Amino acid sequence: MNDTPAPLTFAATVSGRIVSDVLIVTIDNPPVNATSAQVRAGLVAALNHAARDGTIRAVVLTGAGKVFIGGADIREFGKAPLEPSLPTVIDLIEKMQKPVVAALNGAALGGGLEVALAAHGRIAIPDASFALPEVKLGIVPGAGGTQRLPRLVGALAALDLAATGRTVKSAEALALGLVDRICDAELMAEAVAFAISLTGSPIRRTGMLAVAVPDTRIFAEATKKIVSRARGAHAPGEAARLVGLSFALPFEDAVAEERATFLRLRDSEEAAALRHLFFAERNAGKVEGLCAEALPLSTIGIAGIGLMGSGIAAACLAAGYKVVGYEPREEAAIAGQGRISDLLRRAVIAGKMTREQVEAGLSNLEITTHVHQLAEAGLVIEAVFDDFDAKANLFRQLDRLLKPDTLLATNTSYLDPDALAAVTSRPERFLGLHFFSPANIMRLVEVVRCAETADTALATGIAFARKIGKLPIVTGVCEGFIGNRIFSAYRAEAEKMLAEGASPEVIDRAMEAYGFAMGLFTVNDMAGLEIAWARRKRTAASRDPAAFYFDVPDRLCEAGRFGARTGRGWYDYSGGARAPDPDVAALIEDFRTRKGIVPRNFTEAEIMDRLLSAMSREGRALTEEGIARHEDDIDLILVNGYGFPAARGGPMFAASRRKT
Ligand code: 3HC
């Protein structure tokens, strides 16, 4: 028996050791063991070593740390390709004459999963995760993933995984047939035993397995759904097409087509846009000069458990926090409690939480009508109606009752958080946490750094938002912060176009064709028109009388047209779906007549051009004013909070590409 404790080195990032005549190859390429050129070369060297050395009976491939392989090295995309390519490495693995087992010590993603699929056996720790997330980067798997996966899990399951990028955990992976075993105790010992058990029998090569032809009608319908959900992005449809080839073409031909598609998409605008967002997201929340440690939090207080507060509470409970929800009125408290329970139970139906997690979450929830019960919270988030006096009174009360080191956060959308901080004795422990509705679902949270917010409070706000699964973006203080200020800018531009001759449906159609989930006027109708109306009335006195003012939204509200909830807004919803309304057209026409505007037609291209210019202009202003840290944050906000299509990379990215 040959055991060599001394490591073998195949590359700086790939090492080996021999245990029971099995070569254990470890990839150690922090942070995520991506298959860089050096890793690929190291793997080839390790496999060749194993093939040549007659004392080695089998190979185990694994990763150092918490990730098996996080995929191809995304930083290499866009650069000249370096040999050996990942398909070469994977081909070598599959064709090895000695068994190769993938010991999955953590996430196996993209190219990492493709490596595992080509191995002759797969054993995983219980909480490993698996995905082909390439479509989220605007590409398709490029090293056999769309062809080997259907051979292990069937074409329909492979379609779901490859075309959506969905992640599965070990238990589901085992049930699907994606992995063969889940280890009981010690991964490496069990992987070595597994590899030895495969010696002496014919090797099962994934690429040589047959694919069962699925019900083609079901496959076509599933593909159609995927394409329609992709909102104009191409990669999901391409991934679906490639999975379809797994039962239509010989393996080699389908793999060649997959590689060609991967290389074509890798250089596309869509891939560049999604890569930009990937790296922007990794940089979000890394605030220059912020080195303060986040404070540990175990209990979160939520003052006001209406719609927004309930969503925030559900997100906190799902993340394992204790939550104290405060509502002064008994009925509102009972309603809030019901709403929070409902949100958690819906998470079970959506497959986002297990029943046990929901039960555990609900046992961490305390609802109270007594404000002093918020005292044990380390952070109290205020989520009451956006009215200054209501919020200021609440903060005065909280400031008096809570321990001096408790952090206070406001969820205001439009009020001045500096003025709210000023009513307390702890402005350095005060910040904004601006959630988006529905708060348990929407990923974006604007973390508002007020004039006196201390670094510790900011770091705690960012860490808290991350812990509840959100994407925190730091913003300075201005009316509407980053997101709503840009929203106001492009809404104003859209209203100008209405005045000049466009209609709500023409503008909405242009935005939807561009990839927005919903056009602006439909979004307004869904959100309700009355809040913006109240704000316009509040700020009417300070409006510049010489500035362009489009009063049709006021006319709509005066007529009781508050949006979809009231059956009418920019559209008529009486028939169920949105329908253009001649009364709205007449109101707009009346405005044009009063202003002496002769209407003209707009193309979709011109509409998008003007909207994107308005967004990027405001985005640049926000960056110059120091409200936004950099333009990438603006892209993340628009994509994650305002339905801007991810495949376009956000308004700043889109504007920069238009210039080149
Ligand atoms: N290539 C290069 N860098 C990567 C990377 C990759 N595939 N994946 C992550 N990184 C980098 C990040 O940019 C970040 O760098 P930074 O510290 O300088 O900001 C660092 O690794 C850590 O990343 P995260 O902050 O995301 O760490 P987490 O622990 O939260 O998550 C992860 C780890 C789940 C692996 C996550 O990073 C992830 O999802 N990565 C992308 C996975 C992916 O999309 N893989 C497919 C690549 S395409 C492919 O494989 C093509 C193939 O088919 C040929």
Side-chain angles (χ1 to χ4, degrees):
M1 194 75 63
N2 183 2
D3 280 16
T4 55
L8 300 159
T9 303
F10 301 110
T13 45
V14 181
S15 64
R17 65 194 164 101
I18 292 176
V19 174
S20 306
D21 297 333
V22 174
L23 173 64
I24 299 176
V25 179
T26 304
I27 300 162
D28 188 359
N29 183 26
V32 299
N33 296 333
T35 58
S36 63
Q38 192 191 59
V39 167
R40 299 195 299 271
L43 286 174
V44 169
L47 293 165
N48 287 339
H49 176 88
R52 274 196 310 267
D53 185 336
T55 65
I56 293 175
R57 292 200 284 165
V59 177
V60 167
L61 295 177
T62 195
K66 291 196 171 148
V67 175
F68 172 64
I69 299 175
D73 191 334
I74 303 169
R75 291 175 207 273
E76 279 183 9
F77 290 6
K79 297 187 185 152
L82 292 167
E83 291 298 325
S85 70
L86 191 57
T88 304
V89 180
I90 283 178
D91 206 40
L92 199 58
I93 294 172
E94 190 165 70
K95 292 196 172 129
M96 280 287 285
Q97 297 302 318
K98 299 176 182 182
V100 180
V101 162
L104 300 154
N105 56 302
L109 307 175
L113 181 55
E114 291 175 301
V115 166
L117 293 173
H120 309 133
R122 284 154 291 280
I123 177 166
I125 59 165
D127 66 345
S129 50
F130 308 90
L132 289 175
E134 285 86 345
V135 291
K136 295 182 181 167
L137 293 168
I139 54 174
V140 290
T146 62
Q147 303 309 307
R148 287 193 181 86
L149 190 59
R151 285 170 163 79
L152 291 181
V153 306
L156 280 168
L159 173 68
D160 167 36
L161 296 177
T164 65
R166 184 169 78 83
T167 300
V168 294
K169 304 294 284 181
S170 293
E172 187 179 355
L174 183 69
L176 284 170
L178 199 163
V179 297
D180 305 302
R181 297 180 184 185
I182 295 182
C183 79
D184 293 318
E186 220 277 288
L187 176 67
M188 291 323 296
E190 291 176 43
V192 167
F194 184 21
I196 291 171
S197 77
L198 296 180
T199 58
S201 348
I203 286 178
R204 184 176 182 253
R205 297 181 212 285
T206 314
M208 292 177 70
L209 302 174
V211 188
V213 178
D215 181 323
T216 46
R217 196 180 47 82
I218 296 179
F219 192 88
E221 261 166 31
T223 301
K224 206 166 130 192
K225 249 192 218 151
I226 285 161
V227 170
S228 86
R229 280 197 202 127
R231 296 203 270 128
H234 294 98
E238 288 285 27
R241 178 179 68 80
L242 292 166
V243 173
L245 296 186
S246 67
F247 51 87
L249 288 184
F251 179 73
E252 281 74 20
D253 296 350
V255 163
E257 174 57 18
E258 182 203 69
R259 186 72 185 167
T261 310
F262 165 78
L263 292 173
R264 173 166 53 80
L265 293 185
R266 196 184 59 176
D267 296 332
S268 66
E269 273 300 292
E270 184 174 318
L274 290 165
R275 258 196 322 271
H276 157 73
L277 291 174
F278 176 84
F279 288 116
E281 212 174 298
R282 263 82 209 154
N283 285 330
K286 288 185 190 160
V287 181
E288 304 74 20
L290 181 68
C291 33
E293 289 279 313
L295 299 169
L297 296 172
S298 56
T299 303
I300 308 298
I302 312 221
I305 46 170
L307 274 185
M308 189 58 102
S310 300
I312 300 170
C316 293
L317 292 168
Y321 282 115
K322 275 188 75 183
V323 169
V324 181
Y326 160 65
E327 266 295 343
R329 287 185 310 111
E330 182 91 28
E331 321 85 89
I334 293 169
Q337 181 155 31
R339 213 167 15 242
I340 296 166
S341 310
D342 262 13
L343 291 176
L344 291 182
R345 299 219 159 87
R346 268 189 253 154
V348 177
I349 298 167
K352 298 215 164 106
M353 285 178 84
T354 64
R355 256 173 234 294
E356 294 70 39
Q357 285 168 329
V358 167
E359 290 320 313
L362 289 175
S363 71
N364 278 335
L365 174 64
E366 182 188 336
I367 299 293
T368 180
T369 52
H370 303 290
V371 68
H372 63 264
Q373 286 192 356
L374 291 168
E376 68 170 292
L379 163 70
V380 174
I381 304 169
E382 159 284 307
V384 301
F385 183 66
D386 222 15
D387 172 77
F388 186 85
D389 291 339
K391 287 186 194 271
N393 285 338
L394 177 62
F395 278 122
R396 278 190 202 98
Q397 198 181 19
L398 292 172
D399 190 41
R400 264 197 319 274
L401 287 169
L402 301 178
K403 285 176 288 194
D405 57 353
T406 302
L407 297 184
L408 296 176
T410 174
N411 180 50
T412 186
S413 306
Y414 283 102
L415 301 173
D416 177 1
D418 281 329
L420 289 170
V423 307
T424 74
S425 63
R426 60 183 91 193
E428 73 290 351
R429 293 185 164 267
F430 192 102
L431 72 159
L433 287 173
H434 181 216
F435 287 81
F436 289 71
S437 188
N440 55 317
I441 305 232
M442 296 288 281
R443 280 188 75 214
L444 180 64
V445 174
E446 286 179 319
V447 179
V448 187
R449 186 180 208 166
C450 305
E452 294 190 50
T453 304
D455 282 1
T456 318
L458 186 68
T460 309
I462 293 170
F464 159 74
R466 282 230 184 82
K467 166 115 196 259
I468 61 170
K470 304 294 178 196
L471 174 63
I473 307 280
V474 176
T475 162
V477 175
C478 70
E479 165 105 4
F481 312 121
I482 299 174
N484 279 339
R485 214 176 102 177
I486 295 184
F487 183 73
S488 297
Y490 73 85
R491 195 188 51 209
E493 193 63 26
E495 289 178 356
K496 258 193 213 149
M497 286 191 275
L498 287 188
E500 291 168 28
S503 64
E505 52 278 17
V506 163
I507 292 177
D508 280 1
R509 269 204 309 271
M511 292 180 76
E512 287 157 15
Y514 185 78
F516 276 84
M518 274 182 217
L520 174 71
F521 295 102
T522 310
V523 168
N524 284 345
D525 273 356
M526 293 297 144
L529 305 182
E530 60 273 48
I531 295 178
W533 188 36
R535 207 161 58 82
R536 285 195 300 276
K537 286 193 280 191
R538 255 198 331 264
T539 53
S542 58
R543 203 162 39 228
D544 174 3
F548 171 83
Y549 184 76
F550 185 65
D551 62 11
V552 172
D554 297 343
R555 302 279 93 80
L556 294 177
C557 291
E558 285 157 12
R561 305 181 65 118
F562 293 122
R565 217 167 7 86
T566 54
R568 295 180 320 155
W570 288 104
Y571 293 96
D572 178 358
Y573 298 86
S574 54
R578 81 177 183 200
D581 189 327
D583 291 348
V584 175
L587 284 175
I588 298 171
E589 193 46 50
D590 173 62
F591 178 85
R592 291 176 192 139
T593 311
R594 280 186 277 129
K595 301 285 171 188
I597 299 170
V598 181
R600 66 178 179 89
N601 288 331
F602 280 82
T603 62
E604 288 191 349
E606 185 183 357
I607 290 169
M608 284 319 301
D609 207 46
R610 283 189 50 179
L611 292 178
L612 290 172
S613 297
M615 290 179 204
S616 55
R617 215 169 27 241
E618 198 65 19
R620 270 194 305 278
L622 281 158
T623 316
E624 278 157 21
E625 289 165 29
I627 304 289
R629 289 166 49 245
H630 46 68
E631 295 189 351
D632 292 359
D633 279 359
I634 289 167
D635 285 339
L636 289 172
I637 286 181
L638 268 288
V639 167
N640 290 284
Y642 294 82
F644 195 102
R648 306 274 190 176
M652 308 313 286
F653 179 84
S656 74
R657 306 300 270 201
R658 278 188 302 157
K659 269 187 238 142
T660 54

